[in-house]
Amino acid sequence: MSTDTKPTIAEEACFEAGIKFGTLYHQFAGTPISPDSAPSLARAMEESIENQPHCRDVTVDVQTEVLEAELAESTADYTELTGRFLEVEIVVDYEDCTIVTRMEMEDGYPLMALESVREH
């Protein structure tokens, strides 16, 4: 007897959010970034991910103070983008469900978390 069950709408919406985070992080990790280029890179990241199905909103905040602190210890004018420079919020609308997710640093690691699930 099979115990397979069909995912709920909320579970499918969470899956969609995970796809968007995976794309955002792995598409842009390693991109050269400086304090001057941070705003345009953040906009490019937002606009790129917002193209994906079911994505209602993406907000990327580059932590410029963290970026500037790292560059102060370097002779370079730029560094590579990693999760330690980012705070991200992604909102997914999937069928009758809205998912709000976030990525921010926790204990030195960029963690992605489910903030809320609202079924309409």
Side-chain angles (χ1 to χ4, degrees), residues 34-109:
S34 70
D36 290 339
S37 69
S40 63
L41 182 57
R43 279 191 312 279
M45 294 170 75
E46 291 168 349
E47 291 175 5
S48 173
I49 302 306
E50 285 174 349
N51 284 322
Q52 293 186 25
H54 313 295
C55 193
R56 184 176 77 191
D57 188 47
V58 178
T59 304
V60 175
D61 184 20
V62 176
Q63 304 298 296
T64 53
E65 65 280 355
V66 178
L67 178 60
E68 289 169 348
E70 180 166 312
L71 289 174
E73 299 177 12
S74 171
T75 59
D77 294 334
Y78 72 95
T79 189
E80 65 182 43
L81 182 66
T82 68
R84 70 183 176 279
F85 301 125
L86 299 176
E87 287 186 0
V88 180
E89 179 180 272
I90 297 177
V91 180
V92 169
D93 282 333
Y94 184 83
E95 294 193 19
D96 294 331
C97 194
T98 299
I99 303 294
V100 178
T101 56
R102 296 192 56 73
M103 182 186 82
E104 54 192 16
M105 292 299 289
E106 186 174 310
D107 296 326
Y109 189 79

